[in-house]
Amino acid sequence: GGTEQATEGRSEPPTDGQPESSTENADGETIETSAEMTFALSVRSSLRGCQLKLKEGQQTFAKSLFSEEEIKQGGQGNVIVCADPVDVLLKDEQEKGEEQKLTPEERSTREAEKEVLSQWAERNAYTVQQCFALRLKKGREGEETSGIGESREMLRMILEISGMPEDADEVTLVYVKDGETVIGEDLDHSADTITFDSRTFGTYALVYRTALPETESTTEYPQEETETET
């Protein structure tokens, strides 16, 4: 007649004599952790002419994606950021690898958000270099991963840019949040990279404006005919 405790999935207590650690949850209850969970954070990118990288040392971000219940079960928590061109993701499902397949709901969202970014670029005189999806997935080693659209913590990412037109100017990263276009802040001063923080994993676009040609002196004020009185 006593209360039963759920033990399914819980790892065995350590046998090397190390004491168990404990943490308090939001309700002040002490949770015994019988094993320390480790975290692996990685990126898989198939962008055209660009490469997505993650700033090193962001284990806290990875840990924030797992619940206390998951963490106390130990094992390895795998977190992966996938960056793929939207038009690749929107191909027929049988034409793609398993990691690029979408549910009908995801497909509908990608199509709608791509249109939001295309219209914003047109209104603001930008050209879309490429539209891509950032997808965040997490799961314990050996288990199926689940997708996360919005994380609690910020993740710092670095987009290495190449293959832009020579006259490209004002290169900017924009993305969709709650149906609206947001301009990403570039945290570095390099023309070859965009460093940005985000907790939104959805549809992004790399856009640019074409530099205007420098105009010569106008014919209204011909310089040669201006003389100084002596």
Side-chain angles (χ1 to χ4, degrees), residues 147-162:
I148 297 172
E150 195 84 11
S151 61
R152 287 184 299 169
E153 305 273 342
M154 287 281 195
L155 180 65
R156 178 156 296 184
M157 293 167 273
I158 302 157
L159 186 66
E160 297 181 347
I161 304 167
S162 61

Side-chain angles (χ1 to χ4, degrees), residues 38 60 183:
T38 57
T60 303
I183 300 173

Side-chain angles (χ1 to χ4, degrees), residues 3-52:
T3 56
E4 291 183 3
Q5 270 193 310
T7 56
E8 185 179 342
R10 183 174 296 178
S11 56
E12 293 297 318
T15 56
D16 56 4
Q18 291 183 358
E20 294 187 356
S21 59
S22 64
T23 56
E24 283 193 354
N25 66 13
D27 299 321
E29 298 170 339
T30 300
I31 299 171
E32 296 297 327
T33 53
S34 58
E36 189 67 35
M37 192 178 203
T38 57
F39 303 95
L41 181 61
S42 61
V43 62
R44 181 188 60 73
S45 174
S46 66
L47 302 181
R48 299 187 187 95
C50 298
Q51 195 63 248
L52 184 75

Side-chain angles (χ1 to χ4, degrees), residues 39-184:
F39 303 95
L41 181 61
S42 61
V43 62
R44 181 188 60 73
S45 174
S46 66
L47 302 181
R48 299 187 187 95
C50 298
Q51 195 63 248
L52 184 75
K53 296 186 176 180
L54 306 179
K55 182 176 178 291
E56 294 182 0
Q58 299 192 88
Q59 296 304 306
T60 303
F61 173 84
K63 184 177 181 179
S64 73
L65 302 177
F66 293 87
S67 67
E68 289 287 350
E69 182 66 31
E70 290 172 314
I71 291 172
K72 75 178 181 180
Q73 292 176 16
Q76 176 164 300
N78 293 325
V79 176
I80 183 168
V81 179
C82 304
D84 299 288
V86 169
D87 56 358
V88 171
L89 293 178
L90 293 179
K91 286 181 178 178
D92 289 342
E93 296 305 305
Q94 61 267 27
E95 296 180 29
K96 302 178 298 188
E98 197 64 37
E99 70 278 358
Q100 293 179 327
K101 291 190 174 180
L102 303 179
T103 65
E105 183 182 4
E106 287 173 325
R107 175 178 288 272
S108 175
T109 298
R110 294 287 165 256
E111 289 172 340
E113 292 186 344
K114 180 182 179 183
E115 186 61 25
V116 168
L117 294 175
S118 296
Q119 291 181 2
W120 178 90
E122 190 174 336
R123 286 196 308 271
N124 292 278
Y126 279 95
T127 299
V128 177
Q129 193 265 358
Q130 69 178 304
C131 187
F132 62 94
L134 285 185
R135 294 178 297 151
L136 179 65
K137 299 181 178 184
K138 64 104 173 180
R140 187 181 286 101
E141 184 75 35
E143 297 180 4
E144 194 172 337
T145 59
S146 58
I148 297 172
E150 195 84 11
S151 61
R152 287 184 299 169
E153 305 273 342
M154 287 281 195
L155 180 65
R156 178 156 296 184
M157 293 167 273
I158 302 157
L159 186 66
E160 297 181 347
I161 304 167
S162 61
M164 298 291 283
E166 288 185 9
D167 59 352
D169 194 29
E170 290 187 55
V171 179
T172 306
L173 192 65
V174 293
Y175 62 95
V176 178
K177 182 177 172 65
D178 300 327
E180 301 292 331
T181 300
V182 179
I183 300 173

